[in-house]
Amino acid sequence: MTASGGLRLVPPPIQLADAPLPDWSHVARLSDDTGLLEHARNAIVRREHGYCVDDVSRGLLLISREPRPTAQLVGLAERYLAFLTHAQAPGGFRNRFSYERRWLDEPSLGDWWGRALWGLGTAAARSTVPWIRRESLNAFLIGCRERSPWSRAMAFAGLGAAEVLRADPRATEAAELLADAATVIGLPSQKEAEWVWPEPELTYANPALPEVLIAAGDLLGDETLLRSGLKMLAWLCREQDNEGHLSVVPVGGWRPGVPKHRFDQQPIEAAATADACATAAAVTGDDRWDEQLFRAIAWFLGDNDGQTTMYDPLTGGCYDGLMATGPNVNQGAESTLALVSTLQHARTLATRSATRPSGGLA
């Protein structure tokens, strides 16, 4: 009952059928003849913030995942690939490019190097356009000669290497990069029963770490890596569970012995959870990972700590963060691509669920 004496309406539970198909309209809105602009105020592009390799790489990756891309998406992929090859230089990749067409930094091996290799590796393995596959592989092979000291950068690069290796099991350079990425990430602690993680805190892009170990264990035939990756991911999913829904690690992270704060959650964290759980399901054939994947999908649809939908169906854009007061309604490239990525998984999961005797997920 409500204070006024009426009945409180409880919304029906979210179902997989509630997930819309991937909508590329806001990605197109953020794109121009140079690349993919980074920020937006509501749905209006903020040109003054320019472009970054991080987001352009994500754009190329997701278009490459499309089984039947439209002519518009192929055109965007061509543009994004040209941007990445322009950003590549001895020492890694530049990251930030102004709207006035000037690079604002020097080549290095930060996260953007790893994300560039992830995007290039995915395009090399999956693009429907032969010349994009060839040029992406060329750029990947140049970039994969480097090694970053940072675990997240190596994780992203390792995911690109896994894509190349799945397409060509003889790709020695990709296998070496994937193995080195797993080494940099490390294995979970055997001493801390309550903290099954190779680092002293959970920061950002956490699901990418076990995903790399799972991929490396599978593709390199290393059972220890595979078991460790699955153990880490299962533990992370338990840590990110809040009363049955996904509550991703927010900005500021979580540390053992410190109460979890819940807000300033980023859509990219939910998308990374979906990626990792989809990989675990594909490698193991265990349907139980689909439940965790569904929770990541449902996070965007409103089953989250704010009980609020995290995207605008009129624009196709995703809100930039989940705050205690509700969504940050700006619709930047990172968030929108996170939504598209997760809806790609929803589309695949719906197809797979429809063939099950049980009738699929709720």
Side-chain angles (χ1 to χ4, degrees):
M1 300 289 286
T2 64
S4 61
L7 291 175
R8 178 182 288 110
L9 297 178
V10 178
I14 291 171
Q15 300 184 17
L16 186 57
D18 297 327
L21 291 173
D23 183 349
W24 293 90
S25 56
H26 192 54
V27 176
R29 187 180 292 114
L30 294 171
S31 300
D32 61 12
D33 60 355
T34 296
L36 178 61
L37 288 143
E38 184 175 8
H39 289 299
R41 181 183 295 111
N42 287 294
I44 298 297
V45 178
R46 300 192 68 181
R47 294 174 175 172
E48 67 272 23
H49 291 287
Y51 318 79
C52 69
V53 161
D54 276 314
D55 289 337
V56 174
S57 301
R58 294 182 186 105
L60 177 63
L61 187 159
L62 297 185
I63 293 172
S64 300
R65 285 181 178 176
E66 283 293 299
R68 290 179 294 277
T70 63
Q72 181 191 38
L73 289 183
V74 170
L76 291 178
E78 293 173 357
R79 230 166 296 163
Y80 299 164
L81 176 57
F83 186 96
L84 294 181
T85 57
H86 183 45
Q88 191 169 28
F93 284 81
R94 303 177 182 91
N95 185 32
R96 300 205 167 274
F97 195 57
S98 75
Y99 191 70
E100 292 73 33
R101 311 303 190 263
R102 291 193 303 270
W103 288 109
L104 304 177
D105 55 1
E106 296 299 319
S108 61
L109 301 172
D111 285 358
W112 49 93
W113 165 81
R115 289 198 183 277
L117 291 187
W118 190 4
L120 292 167
T122 305
R126 299 203 204 185
S127 175
T128 59
V129 182
W131 78 262
I132 289 181
R133 291 199 303 272
R134 290 194 299 271
E135 288 302 317
S136 296
L137 182 60
N138 288 341
F140 174 86
L141 291 175
I142 293 170
C144 80
R145 299 169 188 164
E146 306 279 1
R147 295 293 184 270
S148 174
W150 295 292
S151 61
R152 297 310 189 277
M154 286 296 287
F156 303 144
L159 292 173
E163 291 280 2
V164 172
L165 199 56
R166 288 189 190 102
D168 180 8
R170 301 165 299 174
T172 304
E173 299 94 335
E176 291 172 350
L177 177 57
L178 180 57
D180 288 346
T183 299
V184 170
I185 291 166
L187 301 180
S189 171
Q190 301 300 317
K191 299 178 182 179
E192 297 286 343
E194 300 298 321
W195 190 258
V196 185
W197 202 250
E199 299 175 333
E201 59 183 327
L202 292 167
T203 56
Y204 68 98
N206 301 292
L209 305 189
E211 185 180 1
V212 168
L213 297 187
I214 293 166
D218 176 46
L219 295 167
L220 303 178
D222 190 320
E223 189 66 25
T224 298
L225 288 179
L226 177 57
R227 287 198 306 268
S228 296
L230 292 170
K231 180 180 180 181
M232 283 170 56
L233 182 58
W235 176 83
L236 179 63
C237 287
R238 291 193 297 271
E239 288 294 304
Q240 293 191 143
D241 175 85
N242 186 22
E243 298 181 349
H245 64 256
L246 178 65
S247 178
V248 296
V249 178
V251 173
W254 289 338
R255 297 159 191 81
V258 178
K260 293 176 179 175
H261 63 289
R262 293 289 179 185
F263 289 100
D264 205 355
Q265 296 179 27
Q266 304 294 294
I268 195 170
E269 302 300 326
T273 302
D275 276 345
C277 292
T279 295
V283 167
T284 65
D286 188 341
D287 293 346
R288 288 176 294 183
W289 289 108
D290 288 346
E291 180 182 350
Q292 300 300 328
L293 171 55
F294 174 70
R295 289 186 180 190
I297 296 164
W299 184 93
F300 289 91
L301 306 182
D303 194 12
N304 51 49
D305 285 322
Q307 293 299 295
T308 184
T309 303
M310 286 301 296
Y311 70 96
D312 184 344
L314 297 179
T315 66
C318 181
Y319 301 134
D320 277 352
L322 178 59
M323 319 302 288
T325 55
N328 171 351
V329 296
N330 294 331
Q331 300 166 37
E334 177 186 286
S335 302
T336 297
L337 291 167
L339 171 67
V340 171
S341 173
T342 307
L343 293 180
Q344 287 178 325
H345 288 304
R347 179 180 59 197
T348 302
L349 181 58
T351 301
R352 189 164 70 244
S353 298
T355 64
R356 290 180 185 152
S358 64
L361 294 168

